[in-house]
Amino acid sequence: MSTIKYILSPYYRESDSFILKNFVAHILRTYFITLIGIIFCGIFLLTIDPLISKLLNTASITQGFRNADKTLISEYGNLSFLVIC
Protein backbone atom coordinates (compact mmCIF):
# COMPACT_ATOMS: atom_id res chain seq x y z
CA MET A 1 0.00 0.00 0.00
CA SER A 2 2.88 2.37 0.67
CA THR A 3 3.92 2.06 -3.00
CA ILE A 4 0.50 3.28 -4.11
CA LYS A 5 0.70 6.19 -1.63
CA TYR A 6 4.13 7.07 -3.02
CA ILE A 7 2.88 7.01 -6.62
CA LEU A 8 0.02 9.34 -5.68
CA SER A 9 2.22 11.67 -3.64
CA PRO A 10 5.95 11.21 -4.43
CA TYR A 11 8.58 12.48 -2.04
CA TYR A 12 12.33 12.17 -1.63
CA ARG A 13 13.65 10.74 1.60
CA GLU A 14 17.34 10.38 2.18
CA SER A 15 18.24 7.25 4.07
CA ASP A 16 20.44 7.49 7.15
CA SER A 17 22.35 4.34 6.35
CA PHE A 18 22.65 1.92 3.48
CA ILE A 19 20.94 -1.39 4.20
CA LEU A 20 21.31 -3.96 1.46
CA LYS A 21 18.07 -5.74 2.37
CA ASN A 22 16.03 -2.53 1.92
CA PHE A 23 17.83 -1.71 -1.33
CA VAL A 24 17.14 -5.15 -2.82
CA ALA A 25 13.52 -5.02 -1.67
CA HIS A 26 13.09 -1.63 -3.35
CA ILE A 27 14.65 -2.85 -6.61
CA LEU A 28 12.47 -5.99 -6.66
CA ARG A 29 9.35 -3.95 -5.91
CA THR A 30 10.21 -1.60 -8.77
CA TYR A 31 10.77 -4.51 -11.19
CA PHE A 32 7.45 -6.04 -10.13
CA ILE A 33 5.55 -2.80 -10.78
CA THR A 34 7.31 -2.45 -14.14
CA LEU A 35 6.47 -6.04 -15.09
CA ILE A 36 2.80 -5.50 -14.25
CA GLY A 37 2.81 -2.34 -16.38
CA ILE A 38 4.39 -4.14 -19.34
CA ILE A 39 1.89 -7.00 -19.11
CA PHE A 40 -1.02 -4.55 -18.88
CA CYS A 41 0.20 -2.55 -21.89
CA GLY A 42 0.72 -5.74 -23.93
CA ILE A 43 -2.77 -7.00 -23.19
CA PHE A 44 -4.21 -3.56 -23.95
CA LEU A 45 -2.34 -3.37 -27.27
CA LEU A 46 -3.42 -6.86 -28.32
CA THR A 47 -7.01 -5.99 -27.42
CA ILE A 48 -7.29 -2.72 -29.33
CA ASP A 49 -5.02 -3.61 -32.28
CA PRO A 50 -7.74 -5.17 -34.46
CA LEU A 51 -10.05 -2.22 -33.77
CA ILE A 52 -7.39 0.35 -34.70
CA SER A 53 -6.48 -1.59 -37.85
CA LYS A 54 -10.10 -1.72 -38.93
CA LEU A 55 -10.85 1.94 -38.16
CA LEU A 56 -7.73 3.36 -39.82
CA ASN A 57 -7.51 0.81 -42.65
CA THR A 58 -3.85 0.14 -41.85
CA ALA A 59 -1.74 -2.92 -41.20
CA SER A 60 -1.84 -4.47 -37.76
CA ILE A 61 0.71 -3.24 -35.24
CA THR A 62 1.44 -6.79 -34.10
CA GLN A 63 1.95 -7.88 -37.70
CA GLY A 64 4.53 -5.11 -38.07
CA PHE A 65 6.37 -6.47 -35.03
CA ARG A 66 6.33 -9.97 -36.51
CA ASN A 67 7.71 -8.70 -39.82
CA ALA A 68 10.49 -6.81 -38.03
CA ASP A 69 11.38 -9.96 -36.06
CA LYS A 70 11.56 -12.04 -39.24
CA THR A 71 13.78 -9.43 -40.91
CA LEU A 72 16.19 -9.29 -37.95
CA ILE A 73 16.41 -13.06 -37.67
CA SER A 74 17.00 -13.48 -41.40
CA GLU A 75 19.78 -10.86 -41.43
CA TYR A 76 21.55 -11.54 -38.14
CA GLY A 77 20.46 -15.07 -37.17
CA ASN A 78 21.36 -15.93 -33.59
CA LEU A 79 22.99 -12.53 -33.06
CA SER A 80 19.69 -10.68 -33.50
CA PHE A 81 19.24 -10.53 -29.72
CA LEU A 82 22.51 -8.63 -29.39
CA VAL A 83 21.54 -6.25 -32.19
CA ILE A 84 18.28 -5.42 -30.45
CA CYS A 85 19.98 -4.88 -27.09
Side-chain angles (χ1 to χ4, degrees):
M1 190 63 174
S2 63
T3 305
I4 302 297
K5 280 174 61 176
Y6 178 78
I7 290 172
L8 296 175
S9 177
Y11 58 89
Y12 177 73
R13 183 182 57 157
E14 193 163 328
S15 177
D16 294 336
S17 64
F18 177 78
I19 299 173
L20 183 63
K21 180 181 173 184
N22 291 345
F23 179 73
V24 171
H26 176 71
I27 295 295
L28 290 176
R29 193 170 36 243
T30 304
Y31 281 140
F32 180 70
I33 291 171
T34 304
L35 182 64
I36 288 174
I38 290 170
I39 290 170
F40 175 75
C41 289
I43 291 171
F44 182 71
L45 178 66
L46 289 174
T47 304
I48 66 167
D49 185 42
L51 177 66
I52 292 174
S53 297
K54 189 183 292 184
L55 287 175
L56 299 177
N57 292 329
T58 60
S60 170
I61 296 169
T62 53
Q63 188 60 38
F65 289 148
R66 288 185 189 111
N67 292 340
D69 287 344
K70 287 179 186 176
T71 303
L72 279 172
I73 290 173
S74 68
E75 279 195 40
Y76 299 105
N78 292 336
L79 298 176
S80 61
F81 177 76
L82 294 175
V83 172
I84 292 172
C85 290

